[in-house]
Amino acid sequence: MDRLIEGHLYQNTLTQLTEAASLMKLDPNILERLKKPKRAILVSVPTRMDDGTVKVFDGYRVQHSSTLGPCKGGIRYHEGVNLSEVSALAMLMTFKCALAGLPLGGAKGGVRVNATKLSRSEKQRLTRRYTSEISSFIGPDRDIPAPDIGTDAQTMAWIMDTYSQEQGYAVPSVVTGKPIEIGGSLGRNTSTGRGVLYSVEEACNHLKIKQDFNIKVAIQGFGEVGASAATCAQELGLCITAVSDVGSGLYNEKGLNIPAVKEYYQKNRTLKGYKEADSITNDELLTSKCDVLVPAAIDGVVHENNAKNVKAKIIAEGANGPVTLEGHHILVDKGVFVVPDILANAGGVIVSYFEWVQDLQNFFWSEKEINSRLRDIMSTTFRVSLEHSNRHKIDMRKSAMITAVSRVSSAMLLRGLYPQ
Ligand code: NAD
């Protein structure tokens, strides 16, 4: 398996795990197991295209650990998806769920496809066939998918329907991030971005930074995480100076009007041409003048070559793995406070957990209740990691990882090995 899953994000995640293991003197038997997924499923996804031809895409579902509960993790449709990336993200999910104290394990899935080139019906056929291929490995008690890059609430609705048709009855709790009409949770689609901003609030409190319009925020990625982080930042009274999507970015030193940018983006499907801002590249955004940087698009964007030019005092990792380990060392040496991905972007899985609980109970909560519970968990998780970081004089990435790994490790030792 080692050869199949090696790759830069996997190596990066493994380094974080082994560093944490050495600092906390983790049982070496536990470390050996945590280095690898519990199960990795590879499937071919033959899909009929609109012109009648059949294209075969590679699909993956990797379950890293189910020690703390059913596996949980998103499904990504992207050209860069491969077994190594999905395995790394599945491992991060194990630690993210454990860090937030959720009774869930870690998983991730994906299909290697450029989803932007698919028509709606092609995407539906691909999703249903992929679901059918992995359906014996998922389920409310086994593994519960959710949206990620290239997938959304509609994709989850197709997965839920395909799985339910195969079971013979409606099973809303098989996925989270669904539309409200079929058992989705209020607040789920904004939860990751909202959680990122709650972690920024905590970081500002810790650093004694007053939160007002003088605080400039730059956000990379204007998808589910980036756009909702921008909305939440504006709600909190902060000044959003830059946003971007894959094609282009916007910069306005005096602050962007986020509702207007969102409206423009929804209408034009691009940020290009928006008048009330200057155009900026993704690379320029990362090193632009700001107090808070939220990389909320893809992994590896802040690295050894650009980290020294980052001007932000706080980085909250909205995306998974946006800062490489080399980049992280440079940032920490510069005194930048980095809120790591397993903490900063945990809001999505926390509200996913709420959605799963609501579906299992057929009892739904108000958005106010959801946001308040989300804030409680984000604050507690942040404070536990910060306390650990201060006590052991380690950075937040290490302290979050150690907290998470120790919870998984305790549960593994209590449960034991079976069959022997
Ligand atoms: P999304 O597909 O909704 O949005 C992704 C955004 O990134 C888009 O604006 C896209 O244009 C931009 N982008 C894509 N490639 C880029 C590139 N090369 N350079 C710059 N921008 C690029 O995805 P999302 O759900 O917002 O997820 C974004 C990140 O957050 C991913 O790393 C994902 O794993 C992570 N994440 C998402 C959730 C969630 O609930 N959606 C939860 C936790 C973590």
Side-chain angles (χ1 to χ4, degrees):
M1 189 180 295
D2 291 352
R3 210 168 35 81
L4 289 173
I5 57 182
E6 66 192 20
H8 87 274
L9 186 61
Y10 197 80
Q11 211 44 56
N12 205 335
T13 315
L14 216 50
T15 306
Q16 289 184 57
L17 170 64
T18 44
E19 274 180 10
S22 127
L23 283 168
M24 66 193 279
K25 303 195 180 16
L26 180 69
D27 181 330
N29 294 327
I30 299 286
L31 174 62
E32 279 316 294
R33 164 59 188 85
L34 288 177
K35 280 179 176 175
K36 294 179 190 194
K38 170 187 172 65
R39 183 182 283 141
I41 303 143
L42 269 79
V43 295
S44 289
V45 188
T47 305
R48 192 169 299 282
M49 310 307 282
D50 290 344
D51 65 5
T53 59
V54 173
K55 277 199 184 154
V56 184
F57 299 97
D58 293 338
Y60 309 88
R61 185 73 186 167
V62 174
Q63 298 166 346
H64 176 258
S65 166
S66 60
T67 300
L68 290 170
C71 300
K72 185 89 194 77
I75 288 178
R76 178 175 287 197
Y77 289 174
H78 193 270
E79 285 164 307
V81 163
N82 56 49
L83 186 60
S84 168
E85 180 186 81
V86 177
S87 302
L89 294 168
M91 192 194 293
L92 280 174
M93 283 306 295
T94 297
F95 301 133
K96 195 181 297 183
C97 292
L99 179 65
L102 308 179
L104 296 167
K108 201 80 178 189
V111 179
R112 192 176 176 82
V113 60
N114 183 344
T116 61
K117 296 238 163 82
L118 297 176
S119 69
R120 181 186 155 92
S121 42
E122 286 169 344
K123 194 169 175 183
Q124 175 168 182
R125 289 193 288 269
L126 174 132
T127 300
R128 289 187 181 277
R129 181 59 188 248
Y130 168 68
T131 307
S132 182
E133 292 293 342
I134 63 166
S135 66
S136 31
F137 298 97
I138 61 172
D141 300 318
R142 293 182 179 194
D143 181 1
I144 309 137
D148 194 80
I149 296 177
T151 57
D152 56 14
Q154 177 59 74
T155 322
M156 296 306 113
W158 290 326
I159 296 178
M160 179 267 186
D161 184 68
T162 307
Y163 184 85
S164 299
Q165 295 295 348
E166 289 185 359
Q167 300 298 310
Y169 51 91
V171 190
S173 50
V174 65
V175 284
T176 57
K178 305 175 285 297
I180 304 289
E181 296 86 334
I182 55 168
S185 175
L186 292 168
R188 171 59 184 91
N189 56 355
T190 57
S191 57
T192 309
R194 190 168 281 283
V196 171
L197 262 294
Y198 291 161
S199 78
V200 169
E201 266 192 312
E202 292 289 340
C204 287
N205 291 339
H206 163 60
L207 299 172
K208 303 201 176 9
I209 296 174
K210 193 163 168 244
Q211 294 153 63
D212 57 23
F213 200 69
N214 289 317
I215 300 300
K216 297 188 188 319
V217 185
I219 301 173
Q220 185 188 49
F222 206 60
E224 182 157 322
V225 182
S228 54
T231 303
C232 188
Q234 199 151 54
E235 275 170 27
L236 294 173
L238 311 183
C239 172
I240 297 99
T241 48
V243 295
S244 69
D245 77 343
V246 62
S248 58
L250 301 174
Y251 181 79
N252 185 336
E253 202 187 3
K254 297 202 170 78
L256 294 161
N257 177 344
I258 295 303
V261 174
K262 274 174 117 173
E263 199 185 317
Y264 182 88
Y265 193 69
Q266 261 156 21
K267 206 157 127 204
N268 301 288
R269 302 315 305 160
T270 175
L271 294 168
K272 275 189 195 136
Y274 179 77
K275 293 272 184 302
E276 309 300 318
D278 297 329
S279 137
I280 189 173
T281 66
N282 266 295
D283 285 344
E284 287 164 348
L285 179 145
L286 297 167
T287 55
S288 66
K289 200 172 157 231
C290 64
D291 302 288
V292 178
L293 174 64
V294 179
I298 51 156
D299 63 279
V301 292
V302 179
H303 42 70
E304 55 191 337
N305 298 327
N306 62 2
K308 62 178 180 306
N309 300 324
V310 166
K311 299 187 185 58
K313 300 182 193 77
I314 297 171
I315 295 189
E317 293 188 322
N320 288 311
V323 178
T324 65
L325 285 185
E326 297 80 10
H328 185 254
H329 292 140
I330 296 171
L331 293 170
V332 170
D333 287 348
K334 265 166 62 101
V336 179
F337 188 85
V338 182
V339 188
D341 46 9
I342 60 168
L343 170 52
N345 71 30
V349 74
I350 293 169
V351 177
S352 270
Y353 163 63
F354 296 164
E355 180 175 335
W356 177 64
V357 169
Q358 292 171 84
D359 286 338
L360 291 175
Q361 297 185 341
N362 282 307
F363 179 70
F364 292 86
W365 315 341
S366 70
E367 190 159 1
K368 196 169 156 216
E369 184 168 4
I370 284 159
N371 290 341
S372 139
R373 285 178 188 256
L374 169 63
R375 189 177 221 133
D376 279 355
I377 298 184
M378 286 301 299
S379 300
T380 308
T381 307
F382 185 96
R383 284 171 201 176
V384 168
S385 302
L386 182 64
E387 200 264 320
H388 207 93
S389 147
N390 288 339
R391 185 149 34 99
H392 297 284
K393 305 211 174 344
I394 49 177
D395 62 62
M396 286 287 277
R397 192 183 299 284
K398 289 198 183 87
S399 69
M401 194 58 134
I402 289 175
T403 308
V405 173
S406 66
R407 287 181 181 163
V408 180
S409 157
S410 301
M412 286 171 78
L413 290 168
L414 284 166
R415 287 184 58 167
L417 191 62
Y418 174 84
Q420 296 279 351

